[in-house]
Amino acid sequence: MQTDIEIAQAAEVWPIEKIAEKAGLTAAEWEPYGRDKAKISVDESARQDGLGKLILVTSINPTPAGEGKSTVTVGLADALSLAGKKTMVALREPSLGPVMGLKGGATGGGYAQVVPMADINLHFTGDFHALTSAHNTLAAVIDNSIYQGNPLNIDPRRLLWKRALDVNDRALRHITIGLGGPTSGVPREDGFDITVASELMAILTLSHDLMDMKARIERIVIGYTYDKEPVTVKDLGVAGALTTLLKDAIKPNLVQTLAHTPTLIHGGPFANIAQGTNSIRATKTALQLADYVVTEAGFGADLGGEKFLDFKVPLLGKTPDAIVIVATVRALKMHGGLPKTELTEPNLDALSAGLANLGQHLKSMSRYGVPVVVAVNRFVSDTPEEIEMVEKYVRERGAEAYMADVWAQGGAGAPELAQAVIAATEQESQFTPLYAPEDDAVTKIEKIVQTIYGGAGVELSDKAAKQLREFAKRGWDKMPVIMAKTQYSLSDDAKKLGAPTDFKIHVREFVPKLGAGFLVALTGSILTMPGLPSHPAAYDIDIDENGQITGLF
Ligand code: ADP
């Protein structure tokens, strides 16, 4: 069996001008970045075309068994193209940390992939480098301001802005800087976040244009003064420089699927401490260019899905026309208690128990008033009886499940799913938001916990409760809430698989992200700088004298 990279390397990749033409871009709207990638900048207001149909792909809670959300996103788009529909994909950019850490990229798999796969998973068009540079420029400016007499009265013990790197490096989580005597700065504790966790990443993906981005950057709160007053990037006076560093990164990147469906890949914020979807600009542009846009939200429907619907939709100004929930028989069996080593064995009891996880997501996504379709990402070990059990379970709950055999067959592996999605987008739908913008933070979180997670309610730590009282005084308490929770469980305990009930979500701390425009609610121990596993993927990656890469995936 061929690996993902072997399939990608054997693919016929069209020159990017042909993809730009297929997407309907005018010559002024794109600039080549090599032979098979382009940066695009479409003026939203100049294009008066109506918007296409938006299809949101989300999933059950991820397990180490893999769900293949990106694979289904790409395969569904190719299936829609095969059905004669003008389609585009809008995906996130992969972070290098996980690429070198755990096996698995973000460009799909098998015959449902985006190319050039290696480039996209490595340095792509440099967006992450620009973000890392901008992030660390701000960090350097903050420390320099403290060193140069501290005119802003910044309290070095109350800084929120750390440094950033797109590498999984646990040794950098907590560091001491400024050592080496009076000419080397002021010693203090610091740390690194992975670049995708930077507020600048969230901002890049939320900004409509350069001036919107600059205004958002100005609002970033980097820490507090000795009098506990917030200090912003505007106070430091470097929003212009940071925006300049991001002038090209703000432009979406154009590539293609193996079947030449035009694809925009842009921005990659985490789906726990940020919104977890590709950029507003890329989604909007795709909607202006294509009749069907397939996009994906990170992790499960409880994290990325909820954030897409409650946070991104109002900013995008467009609600989805259909929601696709991806499930696999293997992952459902894990939710039913089966260990990873036994997933290839048929086991209807474990599947039956694990289906409750799909059931909760089906219920929570259906409440938004948008038609929901289930896609079963087919693995070779799935038996007909297992697949039938999933289909029956979904049908009993008023929806339909369809096979997606796109990993093995590309778009040709999901004709029925494509037709079902087209039909779903044609149904009348009335989007029903989960909460009102004016709801306070606790009300918002309660609605998320009770309706989306199926839990009982929320418990705030003393610190979190005190923070909310302070935020209320500053008018920050009405911002949308971004839940930073484990992706593995509907609860905040990663070990509670399936569909737990009667649990409470414990918020230990809030982090205000004024530039991005949300409050992060930290639950459990959320890491913003991952580590490498005992056998990092980096051990298996190699390149030969012809530049041929192996082992990327
Ligand atoms: P997600 O988006 O849920 O993280 P991906 O689509 O990136 O998942 O897939 C993760 C990995 O699983 C990829 O290497 C892909 O090739 C593999 N994969 C996905 N679907 C299948 C499948 N049906 N059969 C075998 N491998 C698959």
Side-chain angles (χ1 to χ4, degrees):
M1 200 176 293
Q2 284 188 303
T3 61
D4 289 355
I5 189 156
E6 283 164 356
I7 294 170
Q9 281 164 344
E12 180 218 353
V13 182
W14 282 4
I16 201 64
E17 49 269 35
K18 214 165 146 185
I19 298 296
E21 194 188 326
K22 186 172 177 189
L25 289 161
T26 66
E29 289 174 328
W30 67 279
E31 50 193 306
Y33 194 98
R35 291 196 196 101
D36 44 20
K37 304 178 279 285
K39 279 270 173 200
I40 66 164
S41 37
V42 172
D43 177 1
E44 242 180 65
S45 55
R47 277 193 168 262
Q48 295 306 323
D49 337 30
L51 297 183
K53 304 276 192 189
L54 181 59
I55 300 147
L56 169 65
V57 178
T58 180
S59 78
I60 58 170
N61 285 95
T63 69
E67 289 63 51
K69 202 159 21 92
S70 307
T71 305
V72 172
T73 302
V74 174
L76 171 59
D78 282 345
L80 290 166
S81 295
L82 262 184
K85 303 295 182 191
K86 189 170 185 205
T87 309
M88 276 182 87
V89 187
L91 286 178
R92 286 173 301 159
E93 291 184 52
S95 160
L96 262 184
V99 168
M100 290 292 150
L102 291 164
K103 228 168 138 66
T107 45
Y111 288 90
Q113 286 192 61
V114 181
V115 283
M117 178 269 219
D119 285 9
I120 299 168
N121 280 305
L122 297 173
H123 307 283
F124 202 17
T125 56
D127 295 347
F128 280 33
H129 296 275
L131 279 160
T132 305
S133 304
H135 185 108
N136 292 325
T137 297
L138 177 53
V141 165
I142 293 167
D143 279 300
N144 187 51
S145 182
I146 296 170
Y147 173 75
Q148 306 284 356
N150 201 0
L152 296 176
N153 198 29
I154 296 169
D155 183 346
R157 301 160 310 174
R158 290 203 167 81
L159 278 171
L160 298 172
W161 198 259
K162 297 190 207 168
R163 284 165 161 84
L165 201 62
D166 197 26
V167 175
N168 285 10
D169 191 347
R170 61 166 63 77
L172 291 177
R173 279 178 200 152
H174 304 280
I175 59 166
T176 310
I177 59 165
L179 303 183
T183 56
S184 296
V186 178
R188 66 177 183 89
E189 272 185 49
D190 198 7
F192 274 77
D193 286 338
I194 191 157
T195 299
V196 288
S198 168
E199 187 172 353
L200 286 177
M201 172 61 94
I203 288 175
L204 178 94
T205 48
L206 293 170
S207 301
H208 288 279
D209 53 38
L210 275 176
M211 292 307 104
D212 182 17
M213 185 158 78
K214 187 150 75 175
R216 284 174 177 275
I217 291 175
E218 281 188 334
R219 294 198 290 270
I220 295 173
V221 173
I222 57 99
Y224 297 88
T225 64
Y226 283 103
D227 311 316
K228 296 189 188 152
E229 288 300 317
V231 181
T232 64
V233 173
K234 187 171 187 202
D235 299 329
L236 283 159
V238 290
L242 302 186
T243 310
T244 305
L245 282 167
L246 297 174
K247 75 176 178 54
D248 294 311
I250 195 177
K251 298 175 189 166
N253 307 294
L254 178 69
V255 286
Q256 62 195 287
T257 67
L258 291 175
H260 317 297
T261 302
T263 302
L264 294 180
I265 299 199
H266 193 220
F270 259 5
N272 49 24
I273 66 149
Q275 75 275 26
T277 69
N278 68 290
S279 74
I280 297 253
R281 258 173 82 119
T283 314
K284 198 61 175 284
T285 298
L287 286 165
Q288 288 184 313
L289 293 171
D291 296 330
Y292 292 84
V293 174
V294 190
T295 191
E296 172 196 7
F299 297 140
D302 52 332
L303 284 178
E306 183 274 318
K307 284 162 189 150
F308 190 100
L309 296 160
D310 295 332
F311 179 66
K312 180 165 171 171
V313 159
L315 292 167
L316 182 65
K318 163 86 181 126
T319 59
D321 298 283
I323 299 174
V324 176
I325 303 178
V326 179
T328 64
V329 166
R330 290 154 50 91
L332 288 171
K333 287 195 283 196
M334 258 195 113
H335 277 293
L338 212 59
K340 200 182 164 191
T341 45
E342 291 173 30
L343 296 178
T344 47
E345 299 298 318
N347 191 325
L348 289 175
D349 290 341
L351 178 61
S352 172
L355 276 166
N357 187 266
L358 174 60
Q360 175 60 31
H361 293 301
L362 197 53
K363 191 168 142 201
S364 74
M365 291 294 102
S366 302
R367 74 140 312 279
Y368 286 93
V370 175
V372 179
V373 174
V374 173
V376 183
N377 175 20
R378 173 161 212 177
F379 276 70
V380 282
S381 55
D382 299 351
T383 65
E385 293 76 28
E386 287 175 323
I387 288 164
E388 209 174 290
M389 183 180 255
V390 180
E391 286 171 348
K392 183 162 171 278
Y393 180 90
V394 173
R395 199 169 307 124
E396 282 167 4
R397 279 152 188 80
E400 290 293 333
Y402 298 88
M403 189 63 58
D405 196 15
V406 295
W407 182 81
Q409 301 185 52
E416 286 163 2
L417 174 67
Q419 289 307 329
V421 168
I422 293 169
T425 63
E426 277 156 14
Q427 279 175 38
E428 281 281 310
S429 70
Q430 184 60 50
F431 185 79
T432 317
L434 181 65
Y435 53 70
E438 60 278 12
D439 285 345
D440 61 32
V442 174
T443 307
K444 284 178 177 134
I445 298 173
E446 266 171 357
K447 286 184 180 171
I448 293 172
V449 173
Q450 289 165 358
T451 315
I452 307 299
Y453 305 168
V458 55
E459 238 168 50
L460 302 186
S461 71
D462 290 348
K463 177 176 181 175
K466 184 168 169 235
Q467 279 183 306
L468 279 189
R469 288 192 294 275
E470 278 164 20
F471 292 172
K473 284 185 221 147
R474 300 191 196 284
W476 297 353
D477 60 329
K478 300 279 158 66
M479 288 196 289
V481 176
I482 291 290
M483 297 297 290
K485 177 180 78 65
T486 173
Q487 67 267 34
Y488 297 115
S489 172
L490 282 157
S491 74
D492 57 12
D493 176 354
K495 292 192 190 69
K496 284 193 181 140
L497 302 186
T501 49
D502 292 331
F503 60 87
K504 290 213 162 165
I505 291 286
H506 307 91
V507 177
R508 65 179 159 84
E509 190 181 343
F510 288 98
V511 187
K513 305 271 186 183
L514 274 286
F518 52 67
L519 271 187
V520 181
L522 294 177
T523 74
S525 53
I526 293 295
L527 289 175
T528 48
M529 171 53 92
L532 289 172
S534 57
H535 186 98
Y539 287 167
D540 305 320
I541 298 172
D542 201 4
I543 188 161
D544 69 11
E545 64 273 25
N546 302 315
Q548 186 88 351
I549 299 170
T550 48
L552 199 49
F553 304 112

